[in-house]
Amino acid sequence: MNPIYHIALAATMASSAPQQADTLATTPVQAVMSLDRCIEIALSQNPTVIVADMEIERTDYSRKETLAQLFPVVNFGATYTRMLAKQTMYMNFDMGAMGGGASAGGDGDTADEAASRASSSKKDDGIKMGLDNSWSVGFNASMPLIAPQLWQSLKLSDSQILQSVETARSSRLSLVNQVKSAWYTLLLTIDSRRTIAENLDMARLTAEIYEKQYALGTASQYDVLRTSVAVKNIEPELAQAEVAIRQARLQLAVLMGIDPADVEITPDKGLSDYQDAMYHQAILAEAHRDISGNSELRQLDISTSMLERSLAIQKAAFLPTLALSANYNWTSSSDGSPFKNFRWNPYSMIGLTLSIPLIDVHNVYATKQAKIQVDEMKWRRADLTRAINMQVDLAIDNINTNVRQIESCSESVRQADTAYGIARQSFDIGAASYLDLRDAELALTRSRLSYYQAIYNYLVATGDLELMLGTFDLTPYTPAR
């Protein structure tokens, strides 16, 4: 069963309040999910992954198609031929040579009688050859015995399967990276919205205090208007944060291959929950820099192997081939109706066909082109290796920078929170002005948003490094075959 329906069913059964049928049809189910669960659903539901798996299956059938060429090919056939005009055969007899003895006392024919027979033979219409109907029914079989090009094609098919498998792996790794980025974006939008909502609550509380003071005559109308404007300025930011959350949920649902109208995804944690593990991950990223798992590099190596196989195929074209052929047939010929007077006669044969290429200028130049392509791939691999190493270094530097930024922002949040508490108490007793309180509120809000943004940047950088190194373990998400 589709895992989305499991989620919808569990969430619906967990709800204790009865709902109308039309409400269930239009309201998405609230589903609390972890990142691992989102990745699991995406790897089983996303069309890109499904197409990649189908491509592996198609390539496997292509290899079996090549392998099948080594087996005998047996055909059954039947042929019927109707003679419309029979072939005429003429025979020229030398009557003088054949009848010389007769004129000298053979059978007693005279010279006039011999001339008469010769004249009548010249007027003969000839002999009609063949029968009206001709049937041929039987089996034909052929099988290659020595086929160097076909043997090399089988090795090329193996490389094509490996390429399809690696392409599917690359699609999965890319999808995991996209799901993680969408997940982190959703966490960032939710935490940002909560921060903005807290700022709005603080501004509303201050505005209510001034309205009460204005009613008592202890505050001016200017103070009331100023705090009211501050509230109005924050409300659009909150609306934008709501839109950002919906967009992030939509993006994550699309990557997971589910309908956003059916399930509303709620993360089971926030960005701050990732802070404890970031130091360990940064140390691992610095220690493990092996790029052998990079999917792009592995695909290039497989492409090089395929070009080497193609070169071997071109060289195999210079080698001889040997094929076996055999047939067993029944023939019948008759005059008159084609469905009568059958006279079936079997005949069979077996043979070998040897082909030795002597001159093939086209294949000579094709082989040289294949050699150049193999050499080109070696240069491309060297260039790609340098580029990937550079990207890994930049990613690690980016991760370390984000770790330091998270530490700084975390300390900034603690200081801003303490400063806001002091400013709030001072404002309540009249020792601080509204501007001092508002500055403390804005500083706390900016510190929190910067803190969440730093964690988000760190998580995205870690995911990008994981994608470049190809270190994400897909085994737990791969179904058993």
Side-chain angles (χ1 to χ4, degrees), residues 28-216:
V29 176
Q30 299 287 336
V32 179
M33 294 188 190
S34 64
L35 176 58
D36 288 338
R37 181 58 177 162
C38 291
I39 294 175
E40 180 183 359
I41 295 175
L43 291 178
S44 62
Q45 296 288 116
N46 189 275
T48 303
V49 175
I50 296 176
V51 170
D53 290 340
M54 295 174 65
E55 187 64 18
I56 295 177
E57 185 178 3
R58 185 198 65 80
T59 309
D60 184 53
Y61 282 126
S62 177
R63 180 189 180 281
K64 292 179 180 179
E65 178 186 2
T66 304
L67 181 62
Q69 298 180 34
L70 295 174
F71 293 91
V73 177
V74 180
N75 298 314
F76 175 80
T79 304
Y80 168 73
T81 303
R82 177 72 178 184
M83 187 73 71
L84 298 180
K86 297 181 180 179
Q87 184 179 4
T88 302
M89 184 182 68
Y90 297 92
M91 300 182 65
N92 185 16
F93 293 99
D94 188 355
M95 302 304 296
M98 296 177 62
S103 60
D107 54 3
D109 288 342
T110 63
D112 292 338
E113 292 175 347
S116 175
R117 282 196 303 271
S119 176
S120 62
S121 65
K122 292 180 180 179
K123 296 179 182 180
D124 191 2
D125 293 335
I127 301 174
K128 299 295 183 179
M129 302 291 296
L131 299 176
D132 294 339
N133 307 303
S134 177
W135 289 89
S136 177
V137 179
F139 298 91
N140 298 313
S142 61
M143 183 180 68
L145 299 179
I146 301 177
Q149 278 190 305
L150 186 56
W151 298 338
Q152 295 296 334
S153 297
L154 285 175
K155 297 180 180 180
L156 178 61
S157 299
D158 293 336
S159 298
Q160 290 174 343
I161 293 178
L162 292 177
Q163 187 182 48
S164 297
V165 171
E166 183 58 35
T167 301
R169 175 178 174 270
S170 176
S171 299
R172 282 178 164 81
L173 292 176
S174 179
L175 179 61
V176 168
N177 178 260
Q178 295 176 28
V179 170
K180 285 187 174 183
S181 297
W183 172 267
Y184 299 145
T185 301
L186 179 58
L187 296 182
L188 177 63
T189 56
I190 292 176
D191 288 338
S192 298
R193 181 206 173 279
R194 184 175 60 253
T195 301
I196 295 173
E198 291 174 355
N199 186 24
L200 180 60
D201 291 339
M202 292 186 292
R204 285 175 176 173
L205 177 61
T206 305
E208 291 175 359
I209 293 174
Y210 271 106
E211 287 178 357
K212 292 178 181 179
Q213 291 179 352
Y214 177 73
L216 296 175

Side-chain angles (χ1 to χ4, degrees), residues 225-478:
L225 293 176
R226 184 170 54 182
T227 54
S228 178
V229 169
V231 172
K232 297 299 182 183
N233 289 337
I234 301 175
E235 288 177 349
E237 296 179 6
L238 185 62
Q240 292 178 0
E242 295 284 356
V243 173
I245 291 175
R246 288 195 294 270
Q247 291 177 347
R249 280 182 172 143
L250 176 62
Q251 181 183 9
L252 181 58
V254 170
L255 291 173
M256 293 170 60
I258 64 177
D259 190 352
D262 295 337
V263 180
E264 184 176 289
I265 302 171
T266 301
D268 63 342
K269 59 175 61 178
L271 285 174
S272 58
D273 297 326
Y274 289 92
Q275 183 176 358
D276 295 337
M278 68 179 183
Y279 300 103
H280 177 66
Q281 292 179 353
I283 294 174
L284 290 178
E286 189 71 32
H288 299 84
R289 304 166 59 93
D290 185 14
I291 64 173
S292 60
N294 181 271
S295 182
E296 188 175 358
L297 189 63
R298 293 175 65 170
Q299 290 187 57
L300 184 63
D301 290 339
I302 295 175
S303 298
T304 303
S305 176
M306 292 176 62
L307 288 176
E308 291 174 350
R309 295 300 182 191
S310 298
L311 176 60
I313 292 175
Q314 294 294 338
K315 292 180 178 180
F318 295 102
L319 302 177
T321 60
L322 181 65
L324 173 68
S325 61
N327 62 64
Y328 193 93
N329 295 279
W330 293 267
T331 61
S332 175
S333 301
S334 62
D335 281 328
S337 174
F339 303 106
K340 295 181 179 180
N341 303 322
F342 290 110
R343 292 177 296 180
W344 294 106
N345 298 292
Y347 78 93
S348 59
M349 61 166 288
I350 187 171
L352 295 174
T353 302
L354 177 65
S355 176
I356 302 177
L358 298 178
I359 299 177
D360 190 352
V361 181
H362 173 271
N363 193 58
V364 172
Y365 292 112
T367 303
K368 292 182 178 181
Q369 292 183 50
K371 290 180 180 179
I372 293 176
Q373 287 179 325
V374 172
D375 294 335
E376 288 176 352
M377 297 301 288
K378 295 179 181 178
W379 287 100
R380 290 179 182 177
R381 191 186 191 283
D383 184 63
L384 180 61
T385 301
R386 287 192 295 267
I388 293 175
N389 285 324
M390 181 192 67
Q391 293 175 3
V392 170
D393 292 336
L394 293 176
I396 293 176
D397 292 340
N398 193 19
I399 289 174
N400 294 329
T401 301
N402 290 325
V403 169
R404 292 190 293 268
Q405 186 176 359
I406 291 173
E407 294 177 352
S408 176
C409 291
S410 179
E411 181 64 24
S412 176
V413 170
R414 287 193 294 268
Q415 294 176 355
D417 190 38
T418 302
Y420 172 75
I422 296 173
R424 186 81 224 182
Q425 294 176 358
S426 300
F427 177 77
D428 291 339
I429 64 176
S433 65
Y434 169 73
L435 291 179
D436 296 332
L437 178 61
R438 188 59 186 157
D439 288 341
E441 290 176 352
L442 293 177
L444 179 58
T445 301
R446 286 195 296 266
S447 298
R448 287 176 175 173
L449 292 177
S450 299
Y451 169 70
Y452 292 134
Q453 185 67 46
I455 297 178
Y456 169 80
N457 293 338
Y458 161 77
L459 292 174
V460 171
T462 304
D464 292 340
L465 177 62
E466 184 181 61
L467 176 63
M468 280 187 289
L469 298 179
T471 56
F472 184 82
D473 187 11
L474 295 169
T475 305
Y477 308 96
T478 303

